[in-house]
């Protein structure tokens, strides 16, 4: 005898969208509306932290639903671009509202994002994936050119301003800034074209991966569209809640005597949490290529979207935009790309490469506290 269908909301929800993935983004947005002026009590900070974690986990879930529907590498591209667009909006709003201390915010955020994704996320993925599967495979034809684009953009936008002579200090003139923004946008557009259209197969997971989620029935377009909308809501919640925690982070940084740039590092880590969790989960399922798509793609999106945006809006900023890195940061940047080139040049990785990247990331964090 056929069971009578239930009319409850839970029964009508698609299997791909558990109830908690619907409630988490809504709770995060409600918290942003209600806790903005709620003070800095321990209870408020605890609630914000819990909701932030919930929004991150929900964002990862919805990103995976979208990725399963559209396939790789489109899923990774959706998450990377969505996170970066909201991150850019946060940077621009803070720079427009802030004073002179925010003139390095774009530089510090982009540099921190590169160090986080190329060392922290990449190293953690290789470390945990290699520990579980011993050896991880990926496509050199996709990862090496992506790293080359990321290295070129990083040097053109973060290193050259420290050596140009047309303006005082580590800054670009207006013409130089607009040129750098245009070059960044062109290179990022070329990368997206190659990844999504011309050589999409270069960015697909290596054949032979045993992952039940990959071979499961994809969700409908209606469910994927709902997940995409909820993903954007989650990301707004993550960035907004991270911004609520920023004053507490600033006080903590000041209390330990660390430089103010550490605030940008911590906020960048919070904003990149969804991509980090998604990348680590992919590595645990022996899909390192997906992890690399997320990590390197988010680094490229961070530069390719942030620099053109601040270049266009630079006349509105109250102070000159400082983009040039310090000598210490340049050394770490060059070390990152040297190690990254060696890691991504062989097509296979083990825990050793993961450990190297994690050590470089820990050094970056240590020097951010004790420069």
């Amino acid at each position: 005898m056929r069971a009578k269908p239930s009319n409850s909301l839970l029964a009508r929800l698609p299997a791909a969208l558990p109830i908690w993935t619907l409630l988490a983004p809504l709770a995060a947005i409600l918290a942003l509306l209600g806790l903005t002026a709620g003070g800095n009590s321990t209870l408020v900070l605890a609630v914000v932290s819990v909701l932030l974690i919930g929004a991150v986990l929900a964002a990862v879930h919805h990103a995976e639903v979208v990725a399963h529907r559209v396939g790789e590498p489109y899923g990774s591209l959706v998450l990377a671009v969505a996170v970066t667009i909201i991150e850019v909006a946060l940077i621009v709003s803070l720079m427009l509202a802030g004073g002179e201390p925010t003139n390095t915010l774009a530089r510090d955020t982009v540099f921190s994002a590169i160090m986080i994704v190329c060392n922290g996320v990449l190293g953690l993925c290789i470390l945990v994936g290699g520990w579980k599967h011993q050896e991880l495979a990926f496509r050199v034809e996709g990862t090496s050119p992506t790293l080359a684009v990321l290295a070129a953009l990083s040097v053109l936008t973060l290193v050259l301003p420290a050596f140009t002579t047309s303006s005082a200090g580590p800054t670009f003139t207006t013409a130089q800034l607009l040129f750098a923004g245009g070059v960044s946008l062109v290179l990022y557009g070329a990368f997206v074209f190659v990844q999504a259209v011309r050589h999409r197969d270069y960015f697909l997971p290596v054949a032979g991966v045993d992952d039940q989620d990959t071979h499961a029935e994809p969700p409908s377009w209606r469910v994927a569209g709902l997940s995409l909308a909820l993903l954007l809501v989650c990301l707004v919640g993550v960035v907004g809640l991270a911004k609520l925690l920023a004053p507490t982070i600033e006080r903590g940084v000041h209390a330990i005597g660390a430089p103010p740039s550490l605030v940008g590092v911590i906020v960048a880590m919070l904003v990149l949490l969804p991509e980090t969790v998604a990348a680590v989960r992919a590595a645990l399922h022996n899909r390192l290529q997906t992890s690399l798509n997320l990590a390197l793609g988010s680094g490229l999106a961070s530069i390719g979207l942030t620099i053109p945006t601040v270049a266009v809006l630079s006349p509105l900023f109250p102070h000159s935009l400082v983009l040039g890195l310090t000598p210490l940061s340049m050394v770490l940047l060059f070390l990152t790309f040297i190690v990254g080139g060696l890691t991504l040049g062989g097509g296979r990785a083990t825990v050793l490469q993961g450990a190297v990247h994690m050590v470089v990331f820990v050094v970056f964090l240590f020097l951010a506290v004790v420069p």
Side-chain angles (χ1 to χ4, degrees), residues 116-155:
I116 291 169
V117 299
C118 290
N119 289 314
V121 179
L122 187 61
L124 185 60
C125 289
I126 296 176
L127 198 61
V128 299
W131 185 267
K132 182 177 180 180
H133 302 285
Q134 294 191 357
E135 189 177 69
L136 300 170
F138 56 90
R139 300 183 185 276
V140 178
E141 59 269 30
T143 54
S144 289
T146 303
L147 185 66
V149 176
L150 184 57
L153 282 178
S154 300
V155 173

Side-chain angles (χ1 to χ4, degrees), residues 4 11 29 78 153 156 159 177 232 234 238 269 279 293 301-302 304 306 312 324 336:
K4 184 178 180 180
I29 295 300
V78 167
L153 282 178
L156 291 174
V159 176
L177 183 59
L232 297 177
C234 287
V238 170
M269 293 177 68
N293 292 343
S302 183
T306 301
V312 172
T336 294

Side-chain angles (χ1 to χ4, degrees), residues 40-62:
N40 295 313
S41 66
T42 303
L43 178 60
V44 170
L45 295 177
V47 170
V48 170
S49 301
V50 171
L51 292 177
L52 176 64
I53 294 173
V56 166
L57 296 177
V60 172
H61 180 86
H62 291 302

Side-chain angles (χ1 to χ4, degrees), residues 187-219:
L187 272 180
Y188 183 67
F191 162 74
V192 172
F193 173 72
V194 169
Q195 184 188 42
V197 181
R198 189 62 179 256
H199 296 291
R200 176 174 174 263
D201 54 313
Y202 288 0
F203 300 88
L204 298 177
V206 177
V209 173
D210 183 17
D211 184 9
Q212 295 180 355
D213 295 335
T214 302
H215 302 289
E217 186 69 21

Side-chain angles (χ1 to χ4, degrees), residues 214-342:
T214 302
H215 302 289
E217 186 69 21
S220 65
W221 283 108
R222 180 178 64 85
V223 172
L226 179 58
S227 280
L228 179 60
L230 290 171
L231 170 61
L232 297 177
V233 174
C234 287
L235 295 177
V236 171
V238 170
V239 174
L241 293 174
K243 187 176 178 180
L244 284 180
L245 289 174
T248 302
I249 296 172
E250 289 177 355
R251 288 193 295 271
V253 168
H254 180 73
I256 65 175
S261 59
L262 179 61
V263 177
V265 176
I266 298 173
V267 173
M269 293 177 68
L270 292 174
V271 172
L272 288 170
L273 265 178
E275 289 174 306
T276 302
V277 175
V280 171
R281 289 182 62 174
L284 287 173
H285 285 90
N286 200 16
R287 290 187 282 115
L288 182 61
Q289 184 62 52
T290 300
S291 303
L292 296 175
N293 292 343
L294 282 166
L296 298 178
S298 61
L300 278 175
S302 183
I303 299 181
L305 298 178
T306 301
I307 301 302
T309 303
V310 297
V312 172
L313 297 178
S314 58
L316 303 178
F317 297 144
H319 299 279
S320 298
L321 186 66
V322 176
L323 287 178
L325 293 173
T326 64
L328 176 61
S329 296
M330 290 182 198
V331 171
L332 289 174
L333 185 68
F334 294 149
L335 176 62
T336 294
F337 288 128
I338 291 173
V339 173
L342 295 173

Side-chain angles (χ1 to χ4, degrees), residues 12 14 21 37 92 109 145 149 172 175 182 208 252 319 345 359 366:
R12 295 198 301 269
T21 64
V92 171
T109 304
V149 176
F172 274 148
H319 299 279
V359 167
F366 176 76

